[in-house]
Structure formats: structure tokens, C-alpha cells
């Protein structure tokens, strides 16, 4: 009579000792770039942090791309140029009576009122409109909206004032003005100019992001 072969038995893990690790699990995304991040450390199972998940699964998080819906540099530059034209035309036409008063010998009072109106018109056109609707006339034409960085909430009146007030030293110091305009070309991930950093703001397209009532965060762009 032949004796059946004996196979070695693997010892059972003692109680309290972790057994072999299970493969990593991914949860399905909602189709818009949401889903749990993967590869957040070592020792949580094999295979984590390498490659991409299978189709239909999407990692998210700040490491997987910039926020969706940021306004491009060309639209921002075009909006600024249009805004300067619109603001100056409005200021010049409305200041004609003051300038005629100065020519007629209005003296220091007329000159002071002209300077006050220059500042007031700048605040009314830029800061007030950005605070109320997120966009000036030029930004509306170019499809740009100004919101809080990372949350897309309204930036508030004083932040809007501080954002535009930065243009005063930027206009006086030539290098600072140039840096302010070009900073968004290399700034990551929110593509902010220096005046955006002062106000903790960012520029998005008017079609992107949450409503101003909810103030929910912009979703991160899915990785290509």
C-alpha cells in the first residue's frame, strides 16, 4: 500500500500578529476627478505609489494637477487692457467739469478734488465691481472672474481694494510692475500674479468653479 505524499503546512500566524497584506483597493471616482488618493506612504500594502489605477478609477489631491478652470494668461492680460481703457474713458469724461474749473482758476481745491475723484473712480470701477460680482467689464468680456484662492469664494471688499492698490507701487517701480504681470506665467498651482498673492485671490473662468453662494472648492483637474 502506497503512502500518500505529505505536503508541508504553513504555520498559522499567532493571535495579534498581522498576516499577509491585502492588495490595495481603489474606490471609483465620480467621473469628475474625485476619488481617494493613492500611494500615501509605504507599508500599507504592496503596489501602492506605483503606476496608475485601472480605467474608471481616479486619484485626486494637490499632487495630481492644478485646479480646473483657471483663467489663461491671454484672457487676463486682455481683460486688464480693456479695463484700463474703460476706466480711463469714464474718469476723463466725468472729470471734464473739474478740469474746466482748474483752467478757470479753481486753484488748489479743484486740483485736490480731481485727485480725489481719480482715486475714487479707480476704486469704484475695479475694487467695487470685483467685490460685488467678481468681474469688471473687461473681465466679463474676456470671461475672467476673481475669487479666493483655493475656495472660489468671493474675495471681499477690502481684499479687492488691496488687490488693486498693489498696482500703485507696481506702476511706480518699473521692475515690480513687469514682475507683477509676468508672475502668473510660472506661479504654481494657482497661477497668481503678485497682486493676487497680496489679496489671496486667483483668476478663474466665469464658467468654472462653484456659485458665489456656496463657495465650494474648485475641483482639481484630472491627470492626463
Amino acid at each position: 500500500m502506497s503512502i500518500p505524499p505529505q505536503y508541508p503546512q504553513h504555520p498559522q500566524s499567532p493571535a495579534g500578529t498581522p498576516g499577509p497584506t491585502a492588495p490595495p483597493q481603489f474606490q471609483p471616482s465620480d467621473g469628475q476627478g474625485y476619488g481617494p488618493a493613492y500611494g500615501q506612504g509605504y507599508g500599507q500594502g504592496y503596489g501602492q505609489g506605483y503606476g496608475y489605477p485601472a480605467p474608471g478609477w481616479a486619484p485626486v489631491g494637490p499632487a495630481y494637477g492644478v485646479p480646473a478652470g483657471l483663467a489663461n494668461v491671454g484672457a487676463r492680460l486682455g481683460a486688464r487692457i480693456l479695463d484700463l481703457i474703460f476706466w480711463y474713458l469714464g474718469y476723463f469724461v466725468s472729470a471734464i467739469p473739474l478740469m474746466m474749473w482748474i483752467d478757470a482758476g479753481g486753484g488748489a481745491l479743484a486740483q485736490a478734488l480731481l485727485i480725489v475723484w481719480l482715486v475714487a473712480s479707480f476704486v469704484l470701477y475695479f475694487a467695487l465691481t470685483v467685490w460685488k460680482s467678481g468681474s469688471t467689464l473687461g473681465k466679463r468680456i474676456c470671461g475672467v472672474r476673481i475669487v479666493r484662492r483655493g475656495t472660489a469664494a468671493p474675495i471681499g471688499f477690502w481684499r479687492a481694494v488691496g488687490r488693486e492698490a498693489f498696482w500703485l507701487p507696481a506702476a511706480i517701480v518699473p521692475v515690480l510692475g513687469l514682475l507683477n504681470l509676468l508672475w502668473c506665467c510660472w506661479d504654481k498651482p494657482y497661477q497668481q500674479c503678485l497682486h493676487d498673492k497680496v489679496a489671496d485671490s486667483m483668476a478663474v473662468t466665469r464658467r468654472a468653479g462653484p456659485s458665489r453662494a456656496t463657495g465650494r472648492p474648485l475641483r482639481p483637474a484630472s491627470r492626463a
Side-chain angles (χ1 to χ4, degrees):
M1 178 182 296
S2 60
I3 301 175
Q6 300 295 322
Y7 296 97
Q9 300 295 323
H10 293 285
Q12 299 295 325
S13 300
T17 305
T21 342
Q25 300 294 323
F26 293 96
Q27 299 178 7
S29 69
D30 61 1
Q32 296 181 345
Y34 286 93
Y38 64 96
Q40 298 179 348
Y42 298 94
Q44 301 177 0
Y46 62 88
Q48 295 194 18
Y50 296 92
Y52 296 91
W57 310 88
V60 298
Y64 299 106
V66 300
L70 291 176
N72 63 62
V73 177
R76 297 187 64 178
L77 180 60
R80 178 59 64 171
I81 293 174
L82 288 176
D83 281 334
L84 289 175
I85 294 174
F86 294 151
W87 164 73
Y88 184 76
L89 286 176
Y91 161 74
F92 181 83
V93 172
S94 60
I96 288 178
L98 287 174
M99 291 186 283
M100 294 176 63
W101 185 17
I102 293 174
D103 291 340
L109 177 59
Q111 295 175 0
L113 288 177
L114 183 64
I115 295 175
V116 169
W117 176 236
L118 173 68
V119 175
S121 63
F122 190 86
V123 171
L124 287 173
Y125 181 84
F126 288 96
L128 187 66
T129 54
V130 168
W131 169 52
K132 296 297 289 184
S133 64
S135 298
T136 56
L137 180 57
K139 288 178 174 60
R140 285 182 178 273
I141 293 174
C142 295
V144 178
R145 181 161 57 96
I146 304 302
V147 295
R148 285 289 300 274
R149 176 185 59 85
T151 66
I155 67 172
F157 176 72
W158 291 112
R159 286 183 184 274
V161 171
R163 185 177 185 273
E164 299 303 329
F166 184 85
W167 283 96
L168 179 60
I172 296 174
V173 182
V175 176
L176 182 60
L178 182 61
L179 281 177
N180 182 38
L181 288 173
L182 297 179
W183 201 270
C184 61
C185 297
W186 57 75
D187 182 76
K188 302 298 179 185
Y190 297 107
Q191 299 177 4
Q192 295 171 292
C193 292
L194 293 180
H195 63 281
D196 288 313
K197 292 186 176 295
V198 169
D200 195 29
S201 64
M202 63 182 181
V204 300
T205 62
R206 290 188 59 83
R207 298 181 300 275
S211 67
R212 293 175 62 82
T214 60
R216 293 177 181 173
L218 292 174
R219 67 175 185 269
S222 57
R223 197 169 179 177

